[in-house]
Amino acid sequence: MNVREVRIVLTRLQSYAGLVFLLLFVPTAVVGCQTLRSSEPIVPIAEYEKMLVGRLDADYVGTENCLAACHYHDQIRLDFEASTMGAQMAADSDLPMIDCESCHGPGSLAIQGLTPEKVAVDAAAGRQTPCDYETLIVLKALPAQAQSLLCLKCHTANATFNLHEWNAGAHALGDVSCFPCHDVHAGPDLITSPKDTKEMCFKCHREQAAEFRLPSHHPVMEGKSFCTDCHQPHGTFHDNLLREETVRATCVRCHGEVEGPYLYAHADLMNDDCTICHADHGSVNNNLLKLSEPYLCLQCHVGHRTSSDPATGETKGVFYTRCTDCHSQVHGTDVPSASGRGNFTQ
Amino acid sequence: MKRILLLGGFFFLFICSALPVASEESADELALFESLDIEGDYAYEFPAIPPSAHLHLGYRFVDLDDSSRVFEYEYLKDSVIFGGDLRTFMFPHRFYLNFDFANKKDYFGDLRYAYGDIVLFRWLNNSYYHNLENILLHDYDPLTSSPGVDIRDAGDGYGIGTRENKFHLMAKVPRFPLHLYFDGFYLVKDGDVQQRNLLGSGFFNNLQRVSQRRRLDNTTRIYKIGANSHFGLVEVDFAHIEKRFDVDKAPVLADAYSGSGLRPAGVYEHSRIPELEGSGNTFKIHTSYTGQWVASASFLQNDRKNKYSGAKSDVKIGAGSLMWNPMTSLAFALRYTHRDLDNKNPAHVDISNFADPASTLSYSVKRPISSNTDTLHLIGRYRPKKGLTFRAKYNYQKVDRSRAGIWSLPDSTTRNGITLTADTRLHSTVLFNLKYAYKNVDDPAYNTEPEDSNAGSLALTWLPHPAVNLLFGYDLDRQERDNLNFANTDDPRDREVDLDNARILATFQLSPKLTMSTTYSYMRYEVVQDLAYENLAGEPQIDKNVSMHQKAHVFNLGGYYHLSEALYLLGEVTYTRSKGKFNPSSADLLEPVSVASFSRMEQDYLLLHLGGRYMFDRGLSMDLDYRYGDLEDRLDNIYDDIEDGEAHIVMLSATKKW
């Protein structure tokens, strides 16, 4: 079988694969649409009982029954109701439904024995009426995965694609739940500002916090670039949660002037990994270089001659201060050097 | 491509096998849902929330001595400062605006609008300034014409302004999760930079280094339009991406070059920044996030074209992940990525002599490397009891290169690695994390990659008192290599790398009003390897076991004092000392002057921040913020790229809240 025949076979295989894809995709989509419409809105269901160990007798009582008589959570309630998620409590909002019990579990045991009259008496006496909150789900005691499940339960059915790689991502598998970064009671505005992200990340990633204090660094400490410019904390198929498919693809998003492709490339260094030469967060060397020049380059390259002027050592100074004074196009170039090769000098 | 299709096939087989189980679960949910009185139970009225806002206005004073690199990312000019925010929640409308203007090069804006969940819009602007160095090229022997220097930018200051804009617009179909979205990324960089390069003939007998001012003005545009939806058992997302990189000013420089045996004297171009264009498509599909089995697959295709030279790059990626959570305490995950990279370029390139437009020189171009990369991660997590978790991860990666021989690289590189992690709560107040990682590489492509590496880390957190938090962490990495590859040398050469990173953190709440925290970090990077230098005959000479040491100590002390309801104060000081030096041993390299002397480095960097706020009645407050920076080249090495600098920044502002 010659090359042409192989290509024809491959092309046909691709066509068949596409056909198989459509045959599977279309029925799944049609059946799936119907299922989703009939199951909307999302309601608190079975999984929560599993978390209420030993108290399967609890029942859902609704937010009004839970909070109407107790004013302790008024501000939290107000903030939450005004948030995007709280708005979903409106039956006419066309959004999936969610309320306090969606996360805190069924509340019937917590308010057992409480009456509006008792609350009124306590209020008159200047007391708050405590509910038996220990019968609710103790969220802090849940494993990280169960905490995340509370969020994922709704966010799995509304095409939330920033969570596409969440489950097999480094945070989920590292026992980091949604809670350390997202606080649904933070106020009515639940969207995170990029300015807040470094505090979230540095709570755990202290080594990186120190790296950003080195003399050469990306301006994260200054609040002028953000962890989320490069990383997607919700998970990606890259091991370090990089936003793009490779280190290089992530870097050239902002550093387009060195993206290439070039006629004269730095072997295949430019194919994927800028971190062979550059530190990603901070470095003691200028331009985030991992090691200072010329040692950085000498790790792979034979240095220029050192003994052409033994009296003054002048060429040593020229050749061994910064290689990039002459090889300035080290990321790649389209212009051949005087020798006709790609020495990155032109 | 075949592997990418295979990945897609496996994904759909998985979906099909999950169909019966998923259907049963849906039926249960549906029955429960139908038993509820939705309208009655969830009657709801959107709360009335008054709008809130704040505005601040002030002035920023700057005093700079010597190098502006002391505050690398501050535009060091006096300026008015202002900013504020506005939030309104009038269901279904939500509006949020936050803006912060520090000077004409440094500002931030965040604008959001939502209409229920039907329309979501966000615009983010982040603009800042980067002070760049003007490195002085040193003429080591002015009496000789070659090597020589041509300094055309003595005393010039350099910097680049970056203006980054991100847009996100999403429209949703009512009562159904079908989204159409548009993402825009628009980044402009403009300013002046130092361009250093080589003139003369370019050969050893005529070397002329030049430094000159260069205007930089380029724009990156990335536009993404896509749609996603929920299709019952799976959700799918498709997006198309267009990328453009345009050079608005000075894409290339030209200078006079001397003649050589290979090229006549003339005016030739150099330091070209090519414009690029590219496009891509992504397709993503995943199952429910909450099942015992969760799967996702992504297919990406991206192409790039250099508009000047015609060089092209095409990437195709298939990636999939699968997680199995058989019980609460046990989970397994698999991630697989296949990447096809196809680089192409023209076989020849022509350059013109601008002094003689009729003459054109043609040069051949080496064919670029293309590669196929398979990456596999297998991860397991086991939590035998509360407070104790073990994790294990196996990594495999194989890179197959085409045309690697002409680049003196191996045809194939294989990487295997295993990582073991344990997290445990030794006591109610003590947390302990331990990690070990081993990596083995067959036929590494570059000398910087080890054949074997052993890395470990430990972290100990102790909370002896509710007001005290202590943390100690230490990471180490030991790397080895015994087959370094230098062009023109055949003998095996060794390399060892040691990395150490230690940190201590302590936070104390000394009183309800006073909190102090301090950190110390130590970073060491040491490389010991054989280096090669040419002698006069052009033969490589080996210098054995040349070490390069780099160390950094970072101290930080901060405090926050809430003196009264109306007044708070904060302060922070950060001191960083870093140094680096390499140590050749061959007499040829050491006499009459050591090659290492040109790059010795030792610098101190001190940052001080003091601030305070006093709150008056009626939402009025005054803020005072002072920052001091001092960067010092401790060796005063005239050859290196470190310059002394000292600066004071004072900001005084008034804020009104509504």
Side-chain angles (χ1 to χ4, degrees):
Chain A
M1 189 181 279
N2 59 34
V3 175
R4 187 169 170 275
E5 288 170 332
V6 170
R7 281 184 183 156
I8 291 170
V9 169
L10 282 176
T11 306
R12 285 180 182 167
L13 274 176
Q14 288 177 20
S15 304
Y16 291 143
L19 188 63
V20 169
F21 174 84
L22 284 175
L23 286 173
L24 285 168
F25 182 78
V26 172
T28 306
V30 170
V31 173
C33 283
Q34 188 57 38
T35 309
L36 182 81
R37 283 184 184 283
S38 57
S39 69
E40 189 190 28
I42 293 167
V43 292
I45 48 166
E47 278 82 351
Y48 299 122
E49 280 86 349
K50 293 173 190 171
M51 296 172 187
L52 285 171
V53 181
R55 301 307 300 260
L56 298 179
D57 49 336
D59 202 358
Y60 297 96
V61 294
T63 296
E64 289 304 313
N65 281 321
C66 188
L67 296 181
C70 169
H71 299 285
Y72 184 68
H73 300 97
D74 278 358
Q75 186 58 48
I76 289 176
R77 181 189 180 188
L78 191 66
D79 287 344
F80 183 71
E81 289 180 358
S83 72
T84 315
M85 289 191 292
Q88 300 182 29
M89 297 170 77
D92 59 355
S93 69
D94 293 335
L95 304 174
M97 197 165 294
I98 185 168
D99 66 4
C100 305
E101 291 174 298
S102 304
C103 299
H104 293 282
S108 65
L109 299 176
I111 62 167
Q112 208 165 37
L114 299 186
T115 61
E117 294 74 24
K118 177 174 169 44
V119 173
V121 170
D122 285 347
R127 294 191 301 264
Q128 287 180 339
T129 309
C131 67
D132 187 6
Y133 59 85
E134 290 182 356
T135 62
L136 300 172
I137 299 172
V138 185
L139 295 174
K140 286 181 182 172
L142 291 179
Q145 293 73 31
Q147 290 176 347
S148 298
L149 192 66
L150 294 170
C151 307
L152 293 173
K153 182 153 182 57
C154 294
H155 286 275
T156 193
N158 60 353
T160 318
F161 267 84
N162 59 345
L163 297 170
H164 178 61
E165 298 282 346
W166 168 258
N167 282 278
H171 278 148
L173 292 166
D175 291 337
V176 179
S177 77
C178 312
F179 292 6
C181 299
H182 296 284
D183 178 2
V184 296
H185 299 315
D189 183 27
L190 291 176
I191 296 178
T192 304
S193 170
K195 287 177 175 176
D196 300 330
T197 52
K198 73 175 177 190
E199 300 303 330
M200 296 175 183
C201 301
F202 292 162
K203 276 190 288 190
C204 298
H205 298 282
R206 299 187 188 280
E207 179 187 344
Q208 284 70 25
E211 289 172 355
F212 281 116
R213 288 196 165 102
L214 293 173
S216 178
H217 56 268
H218 277 119
V220 170
M221 283 298 182
E222 291 87 342
K224 294 175 183 182
S225 67
F226 313 107
C227 304
T228 48
D229 287 344
C230 301
H231 298 280
Q232 165 52 284
H234 299 112
T236 67
F237 55 76
H238 193 279
D239 215 22
N240 293 330
L241 298 181
L242 292 179
R243 278 203 172 271
E244 305 294 334
E245 64 271 16
T246 61
V247 173
R248 178 175 171 274
T250 305
C251 300
V252 298
R253 193 173 153 85
C254 293
H255 298 283
E257 66 276 12
V258 292
E259 178 169 1
Y262 296 103
L263 290 182
Y264 299 99
H266 205 142
D268 75 344
L269 278 185
M270 292 295 284
N271 284 346
D272 53 19
D273 197 356
C274 307
T275 60
I276 289 174
C277 297
H278 294 280
D280 34 16
H281 301 120
S283 168
V284 300
N285 303 300
N286 206 356
N287 295 324
L288 287 169
L289 292 179
K290 275 186 159 175
L291 292 167
S292 66
E293 298 177 69
Y295 196 95
L296 178 80
C297 309
L298 291 172
Q299 292 175 108
C300 295
H301 296 282
V302 177
H304 290 315
R305 60 191 60 173
T306 59
S307 50
S308 57
D309 50 355
T312 62
E314 182 183 21
T315 50
K316 283 185 181 175
V318 175
F319 294 148
Y320 292 98
T321 305
R322 281 170 303 274
C323 307
T324 50
D325 285 350
C326 298
H327 300 277
S328 54
Q329 306 304 304
V330 70
H331 296 105
T333 181
D334 294 322
V335 185
S337 304
S339 63
R341 295 182 295 153
N343 290 340
F344 308 120
T345 56
Q346 208 167 326
Chain B
M1 192 64 198
K2 278 189 291 183
R3 291 176 197 174
I4 293 172
L5 289 171
L6 195 65
L7 186 70
F10 275 124
F11 184 85
F12 277 97
L13 279 175
F14 171 75
I15 296 296
C16 292
S17 67
L19 274 170
V21 180
S23 300
E24 283 172 25
E25 287 180 356
S26 297
D28 289 345
E29 290 191 13
L30 193 58
L32 183 59
F33 163 69
E34 287 174 346
S35 70
L36 296 174
D37 177 5
I38 298 298
E39 296 291 333
D41 288 351
Y42 297 92
Y44 175 80
E45 201 170 300
F46 193 82
I49 295 183
S52 65
H54 99 260
L55 274 176
H56 69 262
L57 177 66
Y59 200 79
R60 179 175 179 264
F61 304 90
V62 176
D63 178 38
L64 170 68
D65 287 329
D66 302 323
S67 172
S68 59
R69 300 274 291 170
V70 60
F71 281 115
E72 190 176 348
Y73 296 100
E74 294 284 351
Y75 185 65
L76 295 169
K77 304 283 184 191
D78 293 352
S79 65
V80 171
I81 57 172
F82 60 90
D85 64 23
L86 171 65
R87 296 161 197 253
T88 65
F89 295 88
M90 294 181 292
F91 190 74
H93 304 278
R94 298 156 194 280
F95 179 82
Y96 172 81
L97 171 66
N98 172 238
F99 64 101
D100 203 351
F101 179 91
N103 55 63
K104 64 180 182 181
K105 302 281 188 185
D106 192 344
Y107 44 90
F108 174 87
D110 185 354
L111 173 68
R112 305 199 283 264
Y113 171 75
Y115 180 84
D117 71 339
I118 306 299
V119 175
L120 296 172
F121 172 75
R122 188 172 197 185
W123 164 66
L124 271 169
N125 172 281
N126 184 35
S127 299
Y128 59 92
Y129 193 72
H130 187 185
N131 294 303
L132 298 173
E133 68 281 333
N134 180 346
I135 292 173
L136 181 66
L137 299 177
H138 195 76
D139 193 349
Y140 301 90
D141 185 0
L143 297 176
T144 57
S145 59
S146 174
V149 295
D150 179 3
I151 298 170
R152 306 175 189 171
D153 61 345
D156 286 1
Y158 293 121
I160 289 284
T162 299
R163 299 192 301 279
E164 178 188 280
N165 288 280
K166 292 176 184 171
F167 305 92
H168 176 69
L169 175 65
M170 185 168 76
K172 175 180 172 293
V173 174
R175 298 182 62 79
F176 190 76
L178 169 62
H179 304 100
L180 301 174
Y181 62 88
F182 168 78
D183 287 330
F185 177 84
Y186 185 88
L187 183 136
V188 178
K189 285 185 180 179
D190 72 274
D192 295 293
V193 299
Q194 182 184 42
Q195 180 67 61
R196 301 188 305 278
N197 63 289
L198 180 66
L199 297 180
S201 70
F203 288 88
F204 289 162
N205 60 354
N206 188 354
L207 297 174
Q208 299 295 327
R209 290 172 300 146
V210 61
S211 70
Q212 56 187 310
R213 173 177 284 268
R214 178 180 196 168
R215 178 83 180 138
L216 205 68
D217 188 349
N218 57 56
T219 308
T220 302
R221 297 179 183 87
I222 304 172
Y223 302 120
K224 181 178 182 181
I225 185 163
N228 61 47
S229 190
H230 183 108
F231 290 96
L233 298 172
V234 295
E235 295 185 315
V236 296
D237 176 283
F238 175 78
H240 177 76
I241 303 158
E242 287 289 328
K243 178 171 183 176
R244 299 288 181 273
F245 176 77
D246 296 322
V247 182
D248 302 315
K249 285 177 187 159
V252 65
L253 301 180
D255 270 296
Y257 285 80
S258 311
S260 71
L262 294 175
R263 194 171 73 179
V267 177
Y268 298 101
E269 67 173 80
H270 64 85
S271 310
R272 175 179 284 278
I273 301 174
E275 296 194 324
L276 309 171
E277 65 181 15
S279 63
N281 297 287
T282 66
F283 178 75
K284 296 177 180 177
I285 184 165
H286 60 241
T287 65
S288 161
Y289 296 141
T290 57
Q292 197 175 58
W293 288 86
V294 180
S296 72
S298 308
F299 306 91
L300 294 84
Q301 173 269 322
N302 263 317
D303 59 68
R304 293 282 180 275
K305 182 182 177 186
N306 180 321
K307 289 168 73 176
Y308 170 71
S309 66
K312 291 179 184 173
S313 178
D314 186 16
V315 180
K316 293 185 181 68
I317 293 177
S321 70
L322 185 63
M323 199 201 73
W324 179 39
N325 211 337
M327 59 184 79
T328 309
S329 58
L330 190 63
F332 299 98
L334 178 151
R335 291 204 307 268
Y336 171 74
T337 308
H338 175 77
R339 178 169 174 257
D340 277 357
L341 172 68
D342 187 15
N343 288 320
K344 291 176 183 165
N345 57 25
H348 292 85
V349 58
D350 296 334
I351 65 165
S352 300
N353 178 355
F354 295 150
D356 179 10
S359 75
T360 300
L361 299 167
S362 185
Y363 296 97
S364 63
V365 178
K366 201 154 59 170
R367 296 186 71 194
I369 299 170
S370 295
S371 61
N372 288 343
T373 306
D374 290 286
T375 308
L376 177 75
H377 301 278
L378 286 170
I379 305 153
R381 187 192 67 230
Y382 177 52
R383 186 170 46 236
K385 64 175 192 175
K386 191 176 177 183
L388 179 62
T389 305
F390 297 107
R391 284 182 214 90
K393 182 164 129 183
Y394 168 70
N395 304 324
Y396 167 83
Q397 186 177 65
K398 188 161 191 282
V399 184
D400 291 315
R401 301 178 186 85
S402 64
R403 304 184 285 274
I406 57 174
W407 291 86
S408 302
L409 294 177
D411 291 332
S412 176
T413 298
T414 306
R415 302 178 177 99
N416 284 281
I418 187 160
T419 306
L420 304 170
T421 311
D423 298 337
T424 181
R425 184 178 286 275
L426 298 174
H427 179 265
S428 63
T429 62
V430 181
L431 295 170
F432 186 61
N433 313 94
L434 201 59
K435 181 177 173 182
Y436 168 74
Y438 171 74
K439 185 179 172 187
N440 173 268
V441 183
D442 287 337
D443 295 324
Y446 301 100
N447 288 353
T448 49
E449 182 164 32
E451 280 184 303
D452 290 290
S453 79
N454 289 275
S457 71
L458 67 88
L460 188 66
T461 308
W462 183 31
L463 299 100
H465 183 273
V468 180
N469 183 0
L470 305 172
L471 180 143
F472 171 74
Y474 178 65
D475 307 330
L476 62 87
D477 191 354
R478 302 283 178 264
Q479 304 176 356
E480 291 180 2
R481 175 89 182 262
D482 60 11
N483 62 351
L484 293 183
N485 173 36
F486 286 110
N488 308 325
T489 68
D490 295 324
D491 297 339
R493 303 294 171 194
D494 298 335
R495 171 183 165 94
E496 289 181 6
V497 176
D498 289 356
L499 291 108
D500 295 272
N501 188 324
R503 59 210 161 270
I504 299 170
L505 179 145
T507 304
F508 306 94
Q509 189 170 10
L510 299 176
S511 78
K513 292 182 175 179
L514 178 61
T515 304
M516 301 287 294
S517 69
T518 181
T519 60
Y520 165 68
S521 299
Y522 168 72
M523 284 166 263
R524 184 176 78 100
Y525 187 15
E526 180 177 341
V527 182
V528 181
Q529 76 162 73
D530 301 343
L531 298 184
Y533 309 83
E534 280 180 351
N535 62 13
L536 275 177
E539 299 295 327
Q541 306 295 302
I542 298 299
D543 194 14
K544 295 285 290 180
N545 297 323
V546 180
S547 66
M548 171 90 203
H549 300 271
Q550 278 186 183
K551 287 180 185 172
H553 304 266
V554 183
F555 302 89
N556 176 265
L557 175 66
Y560 179 89
Y561 188 27
H562 205 138
L563 194 62
S564 68
E565 282 301 311
L567 178 65
Y568 78 77
L569 304 168
L570 62 85
E572 183 180 23
V573 59
T574 304
Y575 171 72
T576 305
R577 169 167 287 189
S578 51
K579 55 184 171 182
K581 183 189 174 191
F582 81 107
N583 303 286
S585 57
S586 146
D588 179 43
L589 301 171
L590 295 170
E591 299 296 338
V593 57
S594 168
V595 296
S597 63
F598 303 107
S599 58
R600 283 187 308 143
M601 178 275 288
E602 186 170 344
Q603 58 185 320
D604 281 353
Y605 188 31
L606 176 68
L607 288 171
L608 174 67
H609 179 203
L610 299 172
R613 169 174 290 180
Y614 188 82
M615 281 166 275
F616 301 95
D617 294 337
R618 300 178 183 175
L620 275 172
S621 60
M622 290 291 293
D623 288 77
L624 182 64
D625 191 274
Y626 168 71
R627 281 187 290 159
Y628 169 75
D630 182 20
L631 179 65
E632 184 186 354
D633 179 1
R634 287 178 58 84
L635 298 178
D636 287 326
N637 184 350
I638 58 170
Y639 309 114
D640 69 15
D641 45 21
I642 305 164
E643 295 174 83
D644 290 352
E646 186 178 16
H648 305 261
I649 302 174
V650 178
M651 287 193 289
L652 180 65
S653 63
T655 303
K656 167 69 178 168
K657 283 187 178 174
W658 291 274

